[in-house]
Amino acid sequence: VRITKEKASENKQRILEAAARLFRERGFDGIGVADLMREAGFSHGGFYNHFSSKEELIAAASALAFEELDADTQGRGIEAILGRYMSQDHRDDLPRSCPAAALGGDAGRQSDQTQTVFKEGVLSWLSRIEGALEQNSSLSERARRDTAINLFAKAVGAVVISRSVSSDSQLSDEILQVCLAGSLNEAGIRPDE
Amino acid sequence: VRITKEKASENKQRILEAAARLFRERGFDGIGVADLMREAGFSHGGFYNHFSSKEELIAAASALAFEELDADTQGRGIEAILGRYMSQDHRDDLPRSCPAAALGGDAGRQSDQTQTVFKEGVLSWLSRIEGALEQNSSLSERARRDTAINLFAKAVGAVVISRSVSSDSQLSDEILQVCLAGSLNEAGIRPDE
DNA sequence: TGTACATCAGTGAACGCGCGTTCACTGATGTAC
DNA sequence: TGTACATCAGTGAACGCGCGTTCACTGATGTAC
């Protein structure tokens, strides 16, 4: 049942979007090709018309996930970026989570292609944070980069450990709040300014 | 071939130690029961004489991994703790890594038993860091706890993202160095003091 | 523009493989007398 | 203390299952004339 070229390309996008969501939710090994295709609305056999392997899909879906975040963050101030990252919303919304927090620990065990995607995702985050810092402070370029790295590391770590203690919701919330406050301070933002 | 009770208990420990090492190295889904038993020096059939399921092993091995770190960290100063955590050594030694950094992202997808182990591992880290801060500063109890949470989150995040960009060793090293410097500053330690 | 044929996205059965788990079996250890 | 028997840690074959991947097939789309 051959279909239109545009339709086929839309379908590939549907698969990619389902994969980007499901990998973050269940982990790279937590969802199989057949289940994934079913969630995207297809039978599993057609998968290899679009991708040469699950490995390739993992790289492409990770790239898409980073791009979505890129778009959501573009042009926002440092306060908004950090507030969103260390929010209960972000912690609880795994399908839309930052891949660095949801899958960063597994990234090193994936293909070179996927590792490159994660590296570029991290670099992209760092330059967006650096850009957001430019608006609020008069730091040197070096200090701005150092601050961006510190802020991003703390944000990722806060979400990772906040999620890994989620059975204790009070502790989980406390971690996010305390790290957000510490981060805003570290970014040179005074409360009530 | 029945064996001595003590020998049996030693063997269980061998399995646990192999598991603690291999799960951190390859991920919970990256190593199977059969391979794991072979690495521990046994055939796979005996596994269920010691554990009722792989799930149970995951919880027990994670607990052992946290305990090892606990022992390594006990009584050390904040500078030593942070310096070790954000070292190239820790980043590159996955089999002995802190589970929060190596497996924290997957912890939320494991059994309740395992989630409890991770929660207690994090709590244990926080109280050790709080304890180490007591030696160096005169902060209030509340401020000490907040600082401990901030420091631990940054340390975990630094290691996670440092590992996920390991194809760019310069960037990977930079992240560790910059976060360590930022952390020591945050902990109230002046360089050359 | 109309016709004839090649292309290929999608389907669903089938492949081999490794997974977690179970089982019958072995024989030294632990226990009851 | 010595003998008879039950226990159980370890072995390796076997189980069913889901995995990633391949394949023959379908039929509308795209293309050549």
Side-chain angles (χ1 to χ4, degrees), chain A residues 133-153:
Chain A
L133 284 173
E134 245 175 308
Q135 304 167 5
N136 290 52
S137 72
S138 52
L139 299 166
S140 73
E141 198 176 328
R142 180 70 241 174
R144 230 185 292 124
R145 178 172 176 82
D146 287 357
T147 304
I149 291 172
N150 272 276
L151 290 172
F152 186 53

Side-chain angles (χ1 to χ4, degrees), chain B residues 2-3 11 43-46 49-50:
Chain B
R2 193 180 193 187
I3 61 179
N11 290 349
S43 59
H44 64 275
N49 293 324
H50 297 294

Side-chain angles (χ1 to χ4, degrees), chain A residues 1-3 11 43-46 49-50:
Chain A
V1 190
R2 193 181 193 187
I3 61 179
N11 290 350
S43 59
H44 64 276
N49 292 325
H50 297 293

Side-chain angles (χ1 to χ4, degrees), chain A residues 113-191:
Chain A
Q113 212 185 147
T114 299
Q115 297 203 32
T116 301
V117 168
F118 271 77
K119 185 189 71 183
E120 286 175 3
V122 169
L123 283 171
S124 161
W125 262 118
L126 292 179
S127 66
R128 269 176 288 144
I129 296 175
E130 281 182 67
L133 284 173
E134 245 175 308
Q135 304 167 5
N136 290 52
S137 72
S138 52
L139 299 166
S140 73
E141 198 176 328
R142 180 70 241 174
R144 230 185 292 124
R145 178 172 176 82
D146 287 357
T147 304
I149 291 172
N150 272 276
L151 290 172
F152 186 53
K154 187 184 287 186
V156 170
V159 171
V160 167
I161 66 178
S162 174
R163 281 181 183 148
S164 77
V165 300
S166 58
S167 61
D168 182 340
S169 66
Q170 207 176 325
L171 174 62
S172 185
D173 290 350
E174 185 193 6
I175 291 168
L176 292 178
Q177 284 165 12
V178 166
C179 287
L180 176 55
S183 293
L184 292 177
N185 187 54
E186 209 169 344
I189 294 175
R190 318 239 157 270

Side-chain angles (χ1 to χ4, degrees), chain B residues 107-192:
Chain B
R109 301 179 192 104
Q110 305 302 317
S111 69
D112 287 356
Q113 211 185 147
T114 300
Q115 297 202 29
T116 301
V117 168
F118 271 78
K119 184 188 72 182
E120 285 173 5
V122 169
L123 283 171
S124 161
W125 262 119
L126 293 179
S127 65
R128 269 176 287 145
I129 296 175
E130 281 182 65
L133 284 173
E134 246 175 308
Q135 304 168 3
N136 290 55
S137 71
S138 53
L139 298 166
S140 72
E141 199 177 327
R142 179 69 241 175
R144 230 186 293 122
R145 179 172 176 83
D146 287 357
T147 304
I149 291 173
N150 271 276
L151 289 173
F152 186 53
K154 188 183 286 185
V156 170
V159 172
V160 167
I161 65 178
S162 174
R163 282 182 182 147
S164 77
V165 302
S166 58
S167 61
D168 181 341
S169 66
Q170 206 176 326
L171 174 62
S172 185
D173 290 350
E174 187 194 5
I175 291 168
L176 292 179
Q177 286 165 10
V178 165
C179 287
L180 176 56
S183 294
L184 293 177
N185 187 55
E186 210 168 343
I189 295 175
R190 318 238 157 272
D192 311 318

Side-chain angles (χ1 to χ4, degrees), chain B residues 15-101:
Chain B
I15 298 170
L16 266 173
E17 280 164 12
R21 182 166 30 91
L22 289 163
F23 284 144
R24 282 177 281 184
E25 193 170 346
R26 309 191 199 171
F28 293 131
D29 290 332
I31 177 85
V33 169
D35 283 347
L36 195 144
M37 288 295 281
R38 196 178 313 119
E39 293 262 357
F42 303 98
S43 59
H44 64 275
F47 177 76
Y48 294 89
N49 293 324
H50 297 294
F51 303 96
S52 70
S53 66
K54 189 187 181 186
E55 261 199 357
E56 191 187 301
L57 176 68
I58 286 176
S62 300
L64 177 63
F66 275 115
E67 281 159 26
E68 281 172 8
L69 272 149
D70 200 275
D72 285 357
T73 315
Q74 275 297 353
R76 304 182 71 183
I78 186 69
E79 207 163 345
I81 291 173
L82 296 173
R84 165 73 191 148
Y85 206 105
M86 285 173 271
S87 69
Q88 295 174 30
D89 219 52
H90 181 209
R91 178 194 63 197
D92 297 333
D93 190 7
L94 264 178
R96 288 199 169 86
S97 165
C98 172

